[in-house]
């Protein structure tokens, strides 16, 4: 017998749980791509995409995943031989840096490991030594999905400003947009990338690059016509938005997802994610009093509100994931980029997620710890319920 029948919860940190309304909006015949509703719908996405990123800058839409947005962002600003500084706090920062190297950049990486955020004082020191502005761009991941470390992007801009360094600040918000507060213009971010399948609650396949005028003027020599962001933000005819056929159904889904975010209110979306994260942490604080379970990030200020990475000792991570999926219909995330991977797991709590889903996930994990005889402190569910009862 399995108790997994019923509505499953895909609690991996992306793709996230999708609202039925988004899927229903996509369930239609292909629209006319030459005129009419699809054109108006696409136009209507642009201001709303700028609003979720809190920018008056530009947004280019690509048919692709987050990696496509990574490459698009870099290709538009990097020239062969340029130096980029990568501030890595997990697998995704490293990956973006590898992509920059593949485009011909010289990549300097400061690797903060798998549990700590960027050390701003160290970055300040390094930038102040770069007197002739060798570093063209600073790459940082807002929330690294492998470690669940959240970086202080506004603080990073502050140290760049205090040293007077002219580099572009490029941020990966693929895991954080629409979950953790991010204010592109107020925080001084020049280029930002995101995908549609995480906080934006739409099936994977569309990604975005937001950029300001400074970034636009920093024209690199690596860009080819398909990845060029200029025609996409300033299309003289519809075809140019996507340099080809539009991702028709994704656009309908995204329209609905953005409508839902608007209806809830972006501040409420951030507050919901924050509260849900606190409920998760409350449970782990109790579990981790006994046995191997540990939240990956010690400082709550450096923890994502969209994903929580947990160390639990090898092979407990894999065992717990399998148990929760097979017996209860809860799919947890793998220990991506960690060694050994089976000593870790992650809980995605991003996007279309509410309190009863989180309570259900935590109850399932509690049962899994017991079923698998993994030592753990008691009282986790009571602590989670208390955190929920004390609603902000
Ligand atoms: C998911 C993710 C990516 C990669 O996105 P894909 O759509 O899988 O290419 C990059 N960076 C971060 C922070 C992510 O969470």
């Amino acid at each position: 017998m399995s108790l997994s029948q019923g509505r499953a919860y895909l609690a991996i940190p992306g793709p996230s749980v999708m609202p039925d309304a988004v899927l229903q909006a996509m369930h239609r015949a292909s629209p006319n791509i030459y005129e009419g509703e699809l054109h108006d719908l696409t136009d209507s996405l642009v201001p709303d995409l700028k609003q979720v990123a809190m920018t008056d800058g530009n947004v280019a839409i690509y048919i692709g995943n987050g990696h496509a947005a990574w490459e698009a962002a870099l290709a538009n600003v990097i020239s062969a031989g340029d130096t980029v500084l990568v501030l890595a706090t997990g697998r995704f920062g490293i990956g973006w840096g590898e992509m920059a190297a593949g485009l011909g950049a010289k990549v300097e990486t400061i690797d903060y490991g798998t549990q700590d955020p960027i050390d701003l004082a160290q970055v300040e020191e390094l930038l102040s030594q770069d007197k002739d502005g060798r570093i063209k761009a600073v790459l940082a991941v807002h929330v690294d999905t492998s470690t669940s470390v959240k970086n202080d992007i506004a603080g990073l801009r502050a140290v760049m400003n205090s040293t007077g360094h002219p580099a572009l600040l490029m941020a990966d918000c693929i895991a954080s947009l629409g979950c953790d507060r991010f204010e592109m213009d107020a925080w001084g971010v020049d280029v930002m990338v995101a995908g549609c399948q995480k906080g934006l609650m739409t099936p994977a396949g569309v990604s975005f690059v937001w950029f300001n005028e400074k970034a636009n003027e920093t024209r690199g020599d690596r860009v080819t016509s398909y990845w060029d962001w200029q025609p996409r933000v300033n299309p003289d005819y519809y075809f140019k938005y996507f340099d080809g056929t539009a991702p028709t159904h994704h656009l309908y889904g995204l329209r609905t997802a953005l409508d839902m975010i608007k209806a809830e209110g972006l501040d409420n979306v951030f507050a919901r994610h924050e509260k849900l994260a606190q409920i998760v942490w409350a449970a782990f604080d109790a579990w981790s009093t006994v046995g191997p379970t540990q939240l990956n990030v010690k400082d709550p200020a450096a923890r994502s509100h969209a994903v929580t990475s947990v160390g639990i000792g090898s092979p407990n991570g894999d065992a717990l994931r399998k148990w929760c999926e097979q017996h209860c219909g809860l799919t947890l995330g793998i220990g991506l980029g960690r060694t050994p991977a089976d000593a870790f797991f992650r809980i995605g709590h991003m996007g279309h997620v509410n309190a009863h889903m989180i309570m259900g996930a935590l109850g399932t994990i509690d049962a899994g710890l017991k079923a698998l005889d993994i030592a753990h402190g008691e009282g986790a569910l009571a602590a989670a319920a208390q955190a929920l009862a004390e609603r902000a």
Side-chain angles (χ1 to χ4, degrees):
M1 187 209 47
S2 166
L3 299 173
S4 66
Q5 300 310 304
R7 185 162 290 213
Y9 175 10
L10 183 70
I12 63 172
S16 63
V17 174
M18 289 175 290
D20 288 345
V22 168
L23 297 174
Q24 280 152 10
M26 298 176 76
H27 193 83
R28 62 176 65 230
S30 283
N32 184 356
I33 61 169
Y34 299 113
E35 61 192 3
E37 184 180 90
L38 184 69
H39 289 205
D40 297 338
L41 184 143
T42 308
D43 292 340
S44 79
L45 294 172
V46 172
D48 292 342
L49 286 168
K50 292 180 187 181
Q51 218 208 326
V52 284
M54 297 201 200
T55 182
D56 293 329
N58 308 289
V59 61
I61 311 176
Y62 293 88
I63 300 176
N65 55 18
H67 284 68
W70 272 353
E71 177 142 343
L74 290 165
N76 276 278
V77 297
I78 295 298
S79 294
D82 280 350
T83 298
V84 304
L85 176 64
V86 174
L87 305 173
T89 56
R91 180 59 216 151
F92 288 95
I94 302 282
W96 202 10
E98 287 166 353
M99 192 167 263
L103 285 165
K106 290 199 191 90
V107 177
E108 288 179 12
T109 303
I110 310 183
D111 190 344
Y112 293 99
T114 54
Q115 294 190 290
D116 295 308
I118 294 166
D119 176 349
L120 296 177
Q122 185 188 13
V123 176
E124 184 163 31
E125 173 68 23
L126 197 139
L127 291 178
S128 64
Q129 285 162 10
D130 184 29
K131 294 274 184 265
D132 32 58
R134 202 171 37 83
I135 295 166
K136 179 87 165 280
V138 175
L139 272 52
V141 178
H142 185 210
V143 164
D144 198 298
T145 326
S146 62
T147 56
S148 68
V149 168
K150 178 166 67 185
N151 288 302
D152 177 2
I153 301 296
L156 180 56
R157 165 49 73 191
V159 303
M160 290 174 72
N161 285 351
S162 78
T163 57
H165 201 285
L168 293 173
L169 174 55
M170 301 176 69
D172 170 347
C173 293
I174 297 175
S176 56
L177 194 75
C179 304
D180 276 279
R181 176 172 288 279
F182 176 81
E183 303 184 25
M184 180 161 174
D185 290 357
W187 294 2
V189 173
D190 298 301
V191 180
M192 189 273 279
V193 298
C196 68
Q197 80 272 27
K198 298 187 181 176
L200 299 185
M201 309 181 293
T202 303
V206 169
S207 57
F208 316 94
V209 181
W210 288 258
F211 60 94
N212 63 15
E213 271 321 300
K214 179 182 173 188
N216 197 27
E217 284 158 18
T218 316
R219 195 99 178 121
D221 69 9
R222 308 312 292 163
V223 70
T224 54
S225 63
Y226 186 78
W227 296 106
D228 192 349
W229 61 29
Q230 286 180 349
R232 289 171 186 259
V233 301
N234 208 1
D236 43 14
Y237 52 102
Y238 184 77
F239 194 74
K240 293 277 181 137
Y241 259 123
F242 305 100
D243 201 15
T245 303
T248 49
H249 290 67
H250 277 80
L251 300 179
Y252 280 96
L254 183 62
R255 179 63 273 160
T256 297
L258 291 169
D259 286 343
M260 290 177 70
I261 289 172
K262 248 191 196 175
E264 184 177 354
L266 198 51
D267 283 338
N268 293 329
V269 171
F270 295 148
R272 172 168 54 84
H273 282 87
E274 180 175 13
K275 187 73 216 179
L276 295 178
Q278 287 166 352
I279 293 169
V280 172
W281 305 339
F284 279 98
D285 284 345
W287 282 322
S288 61
T289 55
V290 177
T293 306
Q294 293 295 330
L295 284 174
N296 189 53
V297 183
K298 299 290 163 267
D299 175 7
R303 288 180 194 156
S304 162
H305 296 165
V307 50
T308 296
S309 178
V310 179
I312 191 168
S314 176
N316 295 332
D318 275 2
L320 183 68
R321 281 193 308 102
K322 287 203 180 87
W323 191 91
C324 291
E325 185 166 65
Q326 283 170 6
H327 295 282
C328 304
L330 169 71
T331 304
L332 297 166
I334 61 169
L336 185 88
R338 307 300 293 273
T339 359
D342 66 3
F344 298 87
F345 72 95
R346 295 172 300 156
I347 307 173
H349 35 93
M350 58 175 54
H352 192 57
V353 180
N354 61 23
H356 82 70
M357 294 165 74
I358 295 301
M359 293 303 288
L362 296 173
T364 300
I365 291 168
D366 195 62
L369 293 171
K370 291 174 167 59
L372 296 167
D373 257 333
I374 299 169
H376 59 281
E378 289 300 338
L381 300 182
Q386 188 60 38
L388 172 56
E390 290 161 9
R391 286 202 309 117

